[in-house]
Every structure is written in C-alpha cells, then in structure tokens.
Amino acid sequence: MAPIRTAIIGLSSSAATSWAANAHLPYLLSARGRARYQIVALCNSSAESARAAIAHYKLPDPASIRAYGDPAELARDPDVELVVCATRVDVHHRTVRPVLEAGKAAVFCEWPLAQDTAHARDLADLAREKGVKTAVGTQGRLSPVAEKLREVIREGRIGKVLSVDTRAFGGLNGRDVVPTSLAYFLDRKVGGNVFVIGFGHLFDTVQSIVGDISDLHGHLQLQRPDVKLLDRATGAIVGTQRSNVPDLIVAAGSIPESPTTQKDASALLRFRVGAPWPEDPPLVLTIHGEKGELRLTSHAGSSLGVAYQKPVVIDLHDFATDTVERIEWSWEDWQEELPFAARNIGLVYEAFAKGEGYPTFEDAVKRHEQLDALLEGPCRWILYFLILYNFGFAAEQVDYNLKECYVGAAGVYTVNTSAVSVCKYMANVLEILIATSILTDSAADVVHHHLRYNAATAAAAMKGRVAAPPDRSMTRRATVAIVGGGIAGPTLALQLLSHAGLRERFAPVVLDASAAISAARATKPGVVDPDVDAARGAGGAAVAVFPNGLHPLYRLGLRAAVDEVSRELGSTSFWRALNRGGVGGNGTGVKLQQLSRSENASYARDLDTAGRYVARDELRDVLLGAVRERGGEVVEGARVVGVEAGDGDVGGRARVRVQQGSGVESVIEADLVVGADGAWSVIRRGILEGRDPRTAAERWRPAFLGATGFYAIASLPKEVAQRHEFAGTHAVWLQRGSLTTSPLPGRRMRWDLQVPEAVDPRSKGTTKA
C-alpha cells in the first residue's frame, strides 16, 4: 500500500514546546514510519515558518513538501490524505475546522481535542457530518503496559475486578513553579493544563484498561494559586502568576459490569501536582480482583503515554498462594529505536494505518465531558441553574416546603423560586433531584461539599415518605418535560444535554407557550424598526445577567452567542430627581443630582467580563437554538393547562395536558415534569392543588411587594444613541419610585419603572400586577 500523504500543522523550528518534533516526527521519519506515511506539506503561522521548519528538520525530499501559512489553504490541497495537528490546544479548533469543512483529508489531532468541550464537540460533530476519519493523541491507552494489564485481566488471573485505585503525582516539575513557556498552563480557558493534560491522559489510560467510569464525582482543590515563573535559560524566577487550575484532583465512580468486572466495582483516582514523597514512585495503579491484585509502579512519571525513562513494572499478588509475580512487558523492536515520547504515538499511527484500534474525536469528546463533570459536578450544574435564572421583582408566596410537593414515582416539581427565597429551597430541590434519580446517590457527597448540607441523609429520609425512584436499569432514556421556554427551562435542558452522565439517561423536552420564533425575532440586533421591536418584545423586556449567571452559560459553550446579543455593563450612575419647577437641562421640569458613579462594578476577572444586559427573548432564542443543536426537543406554541403525577408505581409516568394551535388538548407523558414557567406557574399550582385545593389558589399567587413594575425596550435614534450618557447604566431615584436605564445592542435601551403602591393592584380586579 502506498504511504499515506501527510501534512503536519505545528512543526515549528522555533516553538517554545516541540511536541510535534519530539513525539511525532521521530516515528514519521523512521524506516517503519516512512513505509506507511509520507510528509507532503507543513503548515505553520506563516509559509516562511513552514519553509524554515522543512530545512531545520532536514525533511526528506524537501523540494516536494509544500509550505502553508493558513489551514484553509492546506485544506484545499488535493494531495493531502492526513492532517496532523500538534499546535497549542487553544488553536486546535480554528486550525482543524477548515480541514474538516473541506471533508477530504483525515485528521489526527493531539489531546486535548480543543480548549473546551463545546469546541471539541463541534469538531467531532463536523467530522461525523462530513464522514472524515479522525484520531486523537491519547496514546497511553495503546501502550504495551496498558495492553499487558488488559491481557492479565482477560485471562482471569485476578478474577473479576472489584476496584481500581490510582495514586499519581506530577504534571509539572515543581509544586509551585512553571517555566515561562508554559505559563498558559495556569489559565483554564486556554484548555491546556495539568488537569486536562496531566490528569486527563492518565484518566483516559485507566479507563481504557478497566472500562469507562460512570457516576463520576470528585473533589478538586487549588492548593497553590500563586505560581512562580521560571526562566529556563537563566534558572531565575522572573515573576509569579495566579492560577485557576486545580492542582489536587480526586475522582471516584463506578466501573461497568462485564465478564471481567463485578457489578458496582469502584474506581478512585488521586492526582496531585508536584513530586511525591522522596523515593516514592510518582504513579501506583492498583487493580484489586477476587483472586488477586495487579499493581503497576512507575518510577518515571504519572503518564503511561510518554514516561519510561525509569523502570515501569507490573506485579501480581496471587491471594491463594500469597506470592508476588513480576509480569514482564516489552517494547516492539521498532519502538526501541525511537525516543520514549514517540513510542506510543507511533502506535497510534500504526493503528490508524491498519484502520482500527485507535482513539477518535468521539472518544475525546467523552473524556472532555467527563472532565467537565468533575469540574462542575452534576449538583453544581443544577445549583447554578437554580441560583441564577430566577429573575423578576415579584416574589412568590413561599410558605411551603418543596420537598413535600414531590408527588408519585413520576416526579413533578417546580424550580421557579424567586431570588429572595431560592437559597431556602436549594437543598430541598436537590433532595428531590436525588430521589428522582436526576442525581445519583454517589453525588450526595458533592451536594454536602457545596451546600454544607447532608443531602445523603435528606435523600434517605425522603425514601421513607415517597415512592421508590424510577428503576435505573431501564434502557430507554427517561423523558423530562420542562414546562417553560424562557430562560430557566432551556438552560436546564442544556445542562442535561451537555452532561455526559445525565444525557445518557434523560431526554429533555421543552414545552414553550409562545409561538415559533418569528423572522422578526430572528433578526440580528441592530435593526431599528417598530415592528421588529414589537415582535422581539413578545418574549418580555430585558434582564441583567451578572458573572455568576454568565458562568454556566459560558461553560455550556454559549459565550460567543450570548455576547453577540448582549451588552456589557460598564459604568453605573446613581441620580436623584429634584422636582423644583421650571425647565431642567434635560428639557423637563426635573433636575438630576448625581449621587455616585462606578466603573465595571460587576467585573469578574476569571470570566473577563462584567454583567451583561440582554433582551429576554433574544437570550431565549440562543438557548432554544442550542437545545435543538444538541439533540433536545423544543415544542413551541404548547400551552400547558394541567399536570397529573404518575400512579405511584415504579415506572409510572406523569401526564402533561397541552393545548396547541386551535385549542385542541393533547397529553404528553413524561418520567419527570419540571415547572420552569414563571411566577404564575401551572405546575406549581397543580402541585398545590394536589396538596390542598382549598388553599391552592391563594398560595399560588405571587406575593405583592408594595410596588408595580413597568419594563420596556426602546429604540433610539442614531444621534441620541451616540451620546455618551446612553453608554452606561443610570438609576434615578424619583419622588415616588425609581427609573433605571441601560443600553442594549442595536441602538436600543432597556428601562424599568418601579412605582410604589399601598394596595395590591390585583385587589382592584386585575389578575396580574
């Protein structure tokens, strides 16, 4: 077979790190590698840099190797069959995507696949759509050491696996020192760091040996946030940099049952940045079985992908004879000729040439999602959702306990608590999530850690009061009907769809009462048109989303989309309106006295943004669009008129009554119903009526706070919008009430007027304040 014509992106002669040169090139230039692959092109930051690398590395037949400075140009090269990406991780996505778009060449990308899960998933989805073969550089799973462990387990020499314990140290040379060339390792948003690379490689290798870990939960700590920067040339410390990357990772979960693994087998991994105790090995992997135990000890480092400069040994303890046997493993002859860093990378190339047995982009996405699960934890995903997406000025009547609203085996509950009361109900809702299997029992420790609340005890107490949770062994995904498509509903759907473990078990369906997104509402910000604004306003006025609310949206990969439709909060000015008669400088009879002004008061350094103002319906469109893109279902124009819980039997399903179009009523069945339909929640009313019909109507009504709010978005003439006073947020204390204005994209301004009232307007015959 003719050699595979290969292009390399990132083989630079001047790069601070030289992974392409140290790990990829030795195999490709070896006799075995050249029989299977032929380097026909290089792509670097410029064509000149690529030509310099061709000369520097003395590549064979240099005149035939084409030099590119743009991945899009490389993607158009019809002679390239495989593109290898070995750049810094934060440019993987924009480097690889043009190649995938062209749909001609296969792609081998280093790990991590991209700077975050959303970008990694985008590459994997595009590759699948275009039918492009992919490989990823998680080479530790192909190492002869990993294969030897799998072989011993398959032979049954230790019986079925009962548990796995991994203890590792490393990632960086020092505990609190990093070379200046790797300072980006201290910034999580870059995507290349000791958590994703150091721990991530080991995490993948362990799972390749014993099986993918489920029900993941963990504890992460940043022990040394201030890290010294080392100049390798001089050996001097030249400064410090703040890190936001955890340097202690503890992960635990379950190993799937198999012919070689017992049901409910456990996995525990502990990884700490820095060196171990003097003379202790940096990696010990123990696999405990029914009849014996395997122990891998690496004195070379924590990575089984590259670290073999010192002994890496496997021992087997036979329980019956109480003897320990050394299990021998070896490199193939061709690997012995390569440097250690290239030996297992060579195995990826070998498997790719054969067409089987190599890790793909899909495998990489799964690892990205698992690492996200450790960073966030399923409980924190839901916590962010509860805390941050309950906007509004009318608080609910909250004199009931949510955990007592749980009804039947098919759960029905509401998450629409107000901002003033959400903390009170957080723990109760999490109890429900655990009891209904949204959260696994093993996640109770995470709940306790983040809430200082013993959720395990709470869940156990609930089991005495409610029917058993749905059977987790069922093969179909449980349907979660989310009533309400504003902000909270689609955000919860995205959390379920974006979490590796939850997506496998739950299929969210968002039921939204509004009509399908109109062409006017789909128009991008910037159009000043009353009809467009009227259509946009159908979804409500504007909201402020502060950094703690932006964080989960950004973690969902929605930063670009959210930032496009929102405007960052800059200055905030507070004023007092003085009604002194006459005409003020603003053309009215009111003069304004400035009380204070602040700049970027809500700025968060870790997200590099302040709070942002956004039209509610434009944020809604972003969220619902993302739900669809990620495989969720959105039913628009579906007005929910009632809900009935399951019959109490395991597997019983709730029934949601829906009206669409002509008013014809239909029923949607679901395993779990979530009320995210605002203060006037149909779901909450149904729960309250189930408890006590006599008091339900009164308790359902939101409490009157002594004020009426008016909210709107106004289009501004160009000459007005350009005036500097409209660039910031202004809060004006009026003689009665307050007025607040803030800018939005597209020469628009959101404003709200709060007017105090002594009597609830609803008592005057109206139904809503």
Side-chain angles (χ1 to χ4, degrees):
M1 187 178 71
I4 299 170
R5 298 186 298 276
T6 303
I8 304 176
I9 304 176
L11 180 63
S12 172
S13 58
S14 59
T17 56
S18 305
W19 184 249
N22 296 336
H24 289 260
L25 201 57
Y27 171 82
L28 293 172
L29 295 184
S30 69
R32 189 178 182 92
R34 291 178 66 178
R36 291 161 174 77
Y37 296 88
Q38 176 190 359
I39 300 175
V40 298
L42 291 189
C43 181
N44 285 341
S45 57
S46 67
E48 292 74 17
S49 172
R51 283 190 285 269
I54 294 170
H56 178 80
Y57 293 109
K58 299 181 174 59
L59 299 184
D61 196 9
S64 68
I65 301 176
R66 295 171 294 284
Y68 295 102
D70 183 351
E73 293 181 15
L74 170 62
R76 292 191 289 269
D77 189 330
D79 194 44
V80 174
E81 297 175 303
L82 172 67
V83 173
V84 177
C85 177
T87 63
R88 207 174 86 162
V89 61
D90 53 340
V91 297
H92 282 184
H93 183 269
R94 68 171 181 262
T95 300
V96 168
R97 205 176 200 286
V99 181
L100 297 175
E101 284 279 9
K104 301 173 184 176
V107 178
F108 177 2
C109 185
E110 266 302 335
W111 169 264
L113 179 54
Q115 65 265 42
D116 56 40
T117 302
H119 286 86
R121 188 183 296 112
D122 177 66
L123 294 180
D125 290 346
L126 182 58
R128 184 171 57 254
E129 175 189 331
K130 296 290 185 177
V132 174
K133 288 175 60 178
T134 62
V136 72
T138 49
Q139 67 274 13
R141 61 167 64 190
L142 300 182
S143 66
V145 171
E147 177 53 35
K148 179 59 69 173
L149 290 170
R150 286 190 290 265
E151 177 186 310
V152 174
I153 293 171
R154 284 195 303 267
E155 291 172 351
R157 298 188 61 184
I158 64 170
K160 285 193 174 185
V161 173
L162 305 179
S163 64
V164 177
D165 182 81
T166 307
R167 186 177 178 88
F169 303 85
L172 295 172
N173 293 332
R175 297 177 182 87
D176 59 352
V177 178
V178 65
T180 53
S181 61
L182 295 178
Y184 68 88
F185 266 44
L186 307 177
D187 186 357
R188 263 175 53 188
K189 71 181 179 183
V190 173
N193 52 64
V194 293
F195 175 65
V196 181
I197 296 177
F199 175 75
H201 270 293
L202 178 63
F203 190 49
D204 177 78
T205 302
V206 170
Q207 293 185 87
S208 76
I209 297 167
V210 299
D212 285 346
I213 301 172
S214 61
D215 293 339
L216 268 171
H217 60 285
H219 178 84
L220 281 68
Q221 181 182 354
L222 178 52
Q223 300 178 111
R224 293 180 171 85
D226 295 309
V227 181
K228 303 181 186 70
L229 301 179
L230 173 68
D231 185 335
R232 279 178 168 166
T234 64
I237 300 298
V238 295
T240 60
Q241 183 169 319
R242 193 79 172 175
S243 173
N244 59 14
V245 177
D247 52 17
L248 175 64
I249 301 110
V250 180
S254 302
I255 309 170
E257 183 181 10
S258 74
T260 59
T261 305
Q262 186 189 70
K263 184 181 179 181
D264 297 327
S266 299
L268 176 65
L269 296 91
R270 184 184 187 277
F271 183 96
R272 193 189 75 194
V273 171
W277 184 269
E279 299 185 4
D280 277 3
L283 172 63
V284 177
L285 166 61
T286 304
I287 303 174
H288 182 67
E290 295 170 321
K291 301 189 298 184
E293 194 165 48
L294 281 167
R295 184 176 68 177
L296 179 145
T297 306
S298 172
H299 295 271
S302 58
S303 172
L304 295 177
V306 297
Y308 292 93
Q309 296 87 344
K310 294 180 180 179
V312 177
V313 298
I314 301 173
D315 294 306
L316 188 154
H317 178 203
D318 187 299
F319 295 160
T321 62
D322 198 25
T323 58
V324 175
E325 173 190 352
R326 176 62 48 87
I327 304 295
E328 300 297 336
W329 67 274
S330 62
W331 300 104
E332 295 187 38
D333 291 343
W334 63 267
Q335 290 176 298
E336 296 277 7
E337 300 173 1
L338 302 177
F340 289 116
R343 294 183 181 183
N344 290 322
I345 285 288
L347 286 172
V348 180
Y349 280 107
E350 291 279 310
F352 188 83
K354 293 177 183 176
E356 61 182 9
Y358 54 89
T360 67
F361 281 15
E362 298 288 348
D363 297 317
V365 169
K366 185 161 191 176
R367 294 293 178 254
H368 274 286
E369 291 174 338
Q370 287 181 313
L371 293 173
D372 274 357
L374 290 176
L375 279 171
E376 298 296 338
C379 301
R380 289 185 64 189
W381 287 72
I382 304 297
L383 278 180
Y384 286 132
F385 157 65
L386 288 170
I387 296 171
L388 306 169
Y389 296 105
N390 289 280
F391 301 108
F393 294 87
E396 295 179 70
Q397 188 71 32
V398 290
D399 60 342
Y400 62 92
N401 191 321
L402 269 180
K403 66 185 177 186
E404 295 176 5
C405 291
Y406 177 84
V407 184
V412 180
Y413 65 93
T414 176
V415 292
N416 279 64
T417 54
S418 66
V420 297
S421 60
V422 68
C423 292
K424 175 180 177 183
Y425 289 102
M426 232 180 289
N428 294 333
V429 172
L430 285 168
E431 289 178 16
I432 295 167
L433 296 177
I434 293 170
T436 56
S437 297
I438 279 281
L439 301 180
T440 63
D441 291 332
S442 59
D445 292 339
V446 184
V447 181
H448 178 78
H449 174 70
H450 289 291
L451 286 184
R452 300 183 183 277
Y453 181 88
N454 192 337
T457 302
M462 286 197 64
K463 289 176 182 177
R465 295 203 306 272
V466 302
D471 184 0
R472 293 179 184 172
S473 65
M474 66 183 186
T475 56
R476 71 170 176 83
R477 294 167 71 200
T479 299
V480 181
I482 302 172
V483 181
I487 298 177
T491 301
L492 176 57
L494 285 170
Q495 308 288 24
L496 297 176
L497 292 167
S498 302
H499 188 281
L502 297 179
R503 189 178 67 247
E504 291 178 357
R505 295 166 56 190
F506 299 96
V509 179
V510 180
L511 306 175
D512 183 23
S514 64
I517 301 172
S518 66
R521 289 231 306 275
T523 304
K524 290 184 177 180
V527 177
V528 180
D529 184 316
D531 294 332
V532 170
D533 288 336
R536 283 178 174 149
V543 293
V545 188
F546 290 97
N548 56 349
L550 291 168
H551 179 265
L553 296 180
Y554 288 0
R555 291 290 300 170
L556 287 166
L558 299 176
R559 179 165 194 150
V562 170
D563 287 0
E564 182 182 3
V565 299
S566 62
R567 178 143 176 186
E568 187 173 9
L569 170 62
S571 64
T572 302
S573 299
F574 291 90
W575 305 80
R576 176 184 295 151
L578 304 174
N579 189 1
R580 296 178 175 175
V583 178
N586 53 12
T588 70
V590 176
K591 292 184 178 180
L592 299 178
Q593 175 189 13
Q594 187 165 16
L595 303 176
S596 66
R597 175 187 171 93
S598 61
E599 296 288 342
N600 296 321
S602 64
Y603 178 78
R605 187 177 65 175
D606 58 337
L607 293 182
D608 190 26
T609 187
R612 305 187 73 90
Y613 285 107
V614 59
R616 289 183 63 95
D617 67 311
E618 290 178 3
L619 178 56
R620 165 192 174 276
D621 292 352
V622 167
L623 296 174
L624 290 179
V627 170
R628 292 187 180 92
E629 290 172 2
R630 299 184 189 182
E633 183 179 352
V634 178
V635 182
E636 293 186 287
R639 188 171 70 89
V640 174
V641 295
V643 62
E644 299 172 10
D647 57 12
D649 295 330
V650 174
R653 309 190 81 195
R655 293 170 291 279
V656 184
R657 303 201 318 277
V658 175
Q659 285 184 353
Q660 286 182 276
S662 61
V664 176
E665 188 172 302
S666 60
V667 173
I668 295 175
E669 290 192 347
D671 300 279
L672 186 69
V673 179
V674 179
D677 48 344
W680 302 85
S681 169
V682 174
I683 304 304
R684 186 165 62 87
R685 180 159 190 166
I687 294 172
L688 292 172
E689 286 177 346
R691 291 182 59 202
D692 189 345
R694 297 168 299 177
T695 61
E698 181 59 32
R699 297 180 68 189
W700 173 69
R701 294 159 61 92
F704 175 56
L705 296 183
T708 296
F710 301 87
Y711 311 92
I713 297 175
S715 297
L716 300 176
K718 184 176 181 180
E719 62 276 11
V720 175
Q722 290 177 338
R723 290 165 57 181
H724 70 88
E725 57 260 41
F726 288 99
T729 293
H730 299 272
V732 182
W733 303 118
L734 307 173
Q735 296 296 318
R736 291 185 67 249
S738 64
L739 173 68
T740 305
T741 68
S742 300
L744 292 171
R747 303 204 312 268
R748 292 174 298 156
M749 179 183 73
R750 47 81 51 182
W751 59 265
D752 64 73
L753 176 66
Q754 301 293 317
V755 179
E757 296 190 87
V759 180
D760 184 346
R762 292 170 298 187
S763 65
K764 303 173 185 178
T766 58
T767 57
K768 294 186 180 180

